[in-house]
Amino acid sequence: MTTPKSLQVTSELYQYILDHSAPADPVLDDLATDTLSVVPDTAHMMVPRDEAAFLTFLVRLTGARTVVEVGTFTGSSTIALARGLPEQGRLITCDISTECVDLARQYFRRAGLSERIEARVGPALETLRTLPTEPHIDLVFIDADKPSYIDYWNELVPRVRPGGLLIVDNTLFSGAVIEPTSGTKAHAIDAFNRYAAADSRVEIVMLHLADGISLARRL
């Protein structure tokens, strides 16, 4: 039996974490304000500041040059990923919401990242199926329609180069994955977690950062 070794993250401890990590990005701070104004009911879908810093760090750490993101929303995670790219790096991001992508593009320009980012509007699976089929992607971030996670995964894993990284968000889903109700998003996430953990094409680790984040290395 394993014993967990973790802390309850209070608001004070969370602020301490932020104070001793990468400094706040003023572009993302302003984007958060605009997101709350434009799509108040779903503004919580933005990645939090610590996760955004982690995404930038992972892109830089892996030396990724080709990144694919599933789920742009208003662009906070896209900006975080693109900030980690070298000047020649490129990121393709996709979302079904024109309204959200339009707002995201405004902030891509403000962040000086428009030339690195190609935003596509439409069903994600259709976008992914237009990508070259050979392994060429360095890093993937999946954070979109939860019931489609397995489908996204199966389109992307073969396209990721050996040693490449897949990052999947919300894999703890507020803890609801423990006893998920059939037909819910938590149930879909639990099904994905089981599927990915058994996938012999990758090695995977799950972290309790934010709402749960899983990292998988392509074998």
Side-chain angles (χ1 to χ4, degrees):
M1 180 178 179
T2 58
T3 302
K5 185 178 181 180
S6 60
L7 296 171
Q8 180 181 358
V9 181
T10 62
S11 58
E12 292 82 7
L13 185 57
Y14 184 65
Q15 187 59 53
Y16 183 90
I17 292 169
L18 297 182
D19 290 343
H20 293 81
S21 299
D25 185 332
V27 172
L28 293 186
D29 287 346
D30 289 348
L31 176 55
T33 300
D34 276 356
T35 299
L36 188 60
S37 175
V38 174
V39 282
D41 293 340
T42 53
H44 64 278
M45 290 167 49
M46 292 186 67
V47 295
R49 178 179 151 190
D50 54 339
E51 186 176 359
F54 187 55
L55 293 177
T56 303
F57 185 83
L58 287 175
V59 175
R60 289 177 177 152
L61 183 67
T62 59
R65 290 175 175 267
T66 302
V67 174
V68 174
E69 177 185 44
V70 184
T72 314
F73 191 45
T74 59
S76 57
S77 54
T78 318
I79 290 170
L81 292 163
R83 284 212 188 281
L85 287 170
E87 187 175 343
Q88 306 86 352
R90 294 294 177 266
L91 185 157
I92 294 174
T93 184
C94 55
D95 202 282
I96 202 168
S97 170
T98 301
E99 181 182 32
C100 288
V101 172
D102 284 347
L103 177 60
R105 285 182 174 131
Q106 295 177 36
Y107 277 86
F108 298 162
R109 289 190 293 271
R110 179 172 165 184
L113 296 169
S114 292
E115 292 186 0
R116 298 182 193 177
I117 300 170
E118 178 185 350
R120 301 186 184 181
V121 178
L125 282 175
E126 293 181 12
T127 298
L128 298 180
R129 287 168 181 161
T130 68
L131 301 177
T133 56
E134 69 270 11
H136 68 286
I137 301 169
D138 298 314
L139 187 144
V140 162
F141 182 56
I142 300 174
D143 183 18
D145 178 47
K146 310 312 174 189
S148 297
Y149 266 25
I150 292 176
D151 292 333
Y152 301 149
W153 180 264
N154 283 328
E155 290 295 333
L156 287 163
V157 170
R159 292 173 164 87
V160 173
R161 63 167 178 79
L165 181 65
L166 297 100
I167 309 168
V168 187
D169 203 13
N170 303 117
T171 50
L172 293 179
F173 211 76
S174 301
V177 291
I178 298 299
E179 295 182 354
T181 302
S182 180
T184 62
K185 291 181 180 180
H187 188 265
I189 290 291
D190 177 55
F192 167 77
N193 289 338
R194 294 171 186 272
Y195 185 88
D199 193 334
S200 62
R201 299 171 295 179
V202 303
E203 60 178 350
I204 192 165
V205 61
M206 183 183 291
L207 305 176
H208 59 288
L209 171 68
D211 193 30
I213 189 167
S214 294
L215 308 178
R217 185 177 74 92
R218 179 75 162 94
L219 297 176

